[in-house]
Amino acid sequence: MSDERPLPGSAVGWLACGGLSLLANAWGILSVGAKQKKWKPLEFLLCTLAATHMLNVAVPIATYAVVQLRRQHPDYEWNEGLCKVFVSTFYTLTLATCFSVTSLSYHRMWMVRWPVNYRLSNAKKQAVHTVMGIWMVSFILSALPAVGWHDTSERFYTHGCRFIVAEIGLGFGVCFLLLVGGSVAMGVVCTAITLFQTLAMQVGRRANHHTFTVPTIVVEDAQGKRRSSIDGSEPAKTSLQITGLVAAIVIIYDCLMGFPVLVVSFSSLRADASAPWMVLCVLWCSVAQALLLPVFLWTCDRYRADLKAVWEKCLALMANDEDSDN
């Protein structure tokens, strides 16, 4: 999809890994849903991240790979509209992934560092609003290159789709660098605070068995019927597992997507040009991080479900749909 040498071998690899990632992330979402009777903000953000990975490998990466393979045929014709769609969706999903990882680390830090405030606040509603804001900001910024935010001397979609930020324009490249860099830095800080607080709590519990725990708050109506409840503190084992899972997700994202994208973007802006290795780095890193998220979910006992549990969950969902239709 660029004027550089075609990459048919890599295109086949992207399609194969993308299909595997699509199935693995779908299984991860079903596993989280099967293990949880009541959805919490953290589970909602994890499933949103997995869905973002599915969209990323299903739309922009698959489009890029297919066009790379189509370029080998003599009857291939260049399509500028397809390039615009690819660039917009790729950067939308890249930013959405970056912000989702940061939001995940922030919510975990909030839950561990200020547990009472977290449980008394409407964290689920805030998580939904966060996801809506993430997608709105990502879509608006990433749609701008397609409608005019690009280098007017040579547009990136005229002859070949050069999607590295230097080919789109300096303004977009600087904004993209600032957003990704700030998001990565915030995710690292939140994860460090979460790890420190979790380890400090574990040490404190071992030293003193009378440490403070978050009470269970039950809200009842005038007839004494329970209307809602706020659960107490997490068990120590569960807290360690979830904190380790979120920390692993943040670290892997930073190593496989955050820092490589920053290096590629900065290098392209500095050289005012793109190179084939930049394309390979960005796309392979996107596929790799999408493949690793379901692995991390499977290693956590809280979100690991077997085939029977997932099948029963699917049957329950279909039964609920039938009941609602009736």
Side-chain angles (χ1 to χ4, degrees), residues 53-306:
H53 287 326
M54 293 174 63
L55 289 173
N56 193 28
V57 298
V59 181
I61 294 179
T63 301
Y64 192 93
V66 169
V67 173
Q68 284 287 345
L69 294 175
R70 284 285 299 156
R71 285 174 65 90
Q72 309 305 309
H73 296 274
D75 59 343
Y76 171 76
E77 295 182 1
W78 173 243
N79 190 332
E80 293 183 359
L82 187 62
C83 176
K84 292 181 180 180
V85 171
F86 162 72
V87 172
S88 297
T89 55
F90 177 78
Y91 279 107
T92 296
L93 294 167
T94 299
L95 288 174
T97 301
C98 179
F99 296 153
S100 296
V101 172
T102 303
S103 177
L104 190 66
S105 63
Y106 172 77
H107 269 263
R108 187 58 191 169
M109 180 197 68
W110 185 15
M111 186 175 183
V112 172
R113 184 65 181 83
W114 298 282
V116 177
N117 179 272
Y118 181 83
R119 288 172 172 84
L120 291 178
S121 302
N122 195 346
K124 184 181 295 184
K125 184 178 180 180
Q126 293 187 23
V128 174
H129 290 171
T130 299
V131 172
M132 293 173 60
I134 285 171
W135 280 93
M136 182 179 66
V137 172
S138 301
F139 176 77
I140 291 176
L141 179 65
S142 302
L144 291 177
V147 299
W149 194 354
H150 47 66
D151 188 359
T152 56
S153 61
E154 185 180 359
R155 295 170 181 173
F156 64 89
Y157 52 80
T158 303
H159 302 292
C161 196
R162 302 180 299 274
F163 68 95
I164 303 300
V165 293
E167 303 288 351
I168 298 176
L170 180 61
F172 175 80
V174 171
C175 290
F176 182 76
L177 273 173
L178 291 176
L179 287 175
V180 175
S183 182
V184 168
M186 183 176 177
V188 171
V189 171
C190 293
T191 302
I193 295 175
T194 303
L195 289 173
F196 176 79
Q197 186 68 23
T198 302
L199 295 177
M201 289 173 61
Q202 297 301 321
V203 173
R205 282 177 180 152
R206 293 173 183 175
N208 183 12
H209 296 287
H210 302 286
T211 53
F212 172 75
T213 57
V214 180
T216 301
I217 303 173
V218 179
V219 180
E220 298 179 349
D221 57 13
Q223 287 75 30
K225 184 180 294 186
R226 174 179 292 192
R227 299 185 60 183
S228 62
S229 64
I230 301 175
D231 298 332
S233 299
E234 294 176 332
K237 183 179 179 181
T238 301
S239 179
L240 279 175
Q241 284 186 351
I242 298 179
T243 299
L245 173 64
V246 174
I249 291 174
V250 172
I251 292 173
I252 290 299
Y253 170 79
D254 291 342
C255 294
L256 287 183
M257 193 63 191
F259 292 130
V261 166
L262 289 174
V263 171
V264 168
S265 301
F266 181 78
S267 300
S268 65
L269 288 175
R270 185 176 181 181
D272 195 19
S274 61
W277 70 267
M278 297 179 180
V279 176
L280 288 172
C281 177
V282 170
L283 293 182
W284 274 118
C285 287
S286 298
V287 173
Q289 63 155 349
L291 278 172
L292 287 176
L293 177 62
V295 176
F296 289 139
L297 292 177
W298 185 83
T299 56
C300 185
D301 293 337
R302 183 180 178 88
Y303 304 126
R304 184 170 62 242
D306 54 11

Side-chain angles (χ1 to χ4, degrees), residues 305-321:
D306 54 11
L307 181 60
K308 181 180 178 181
V310 173
W311 177 248
E312 291 177 352
K313 181 65 176 180
C314 293
L315 292 178
L317 291 175
M318 290 186 291
N320 290 335
D321 290 340

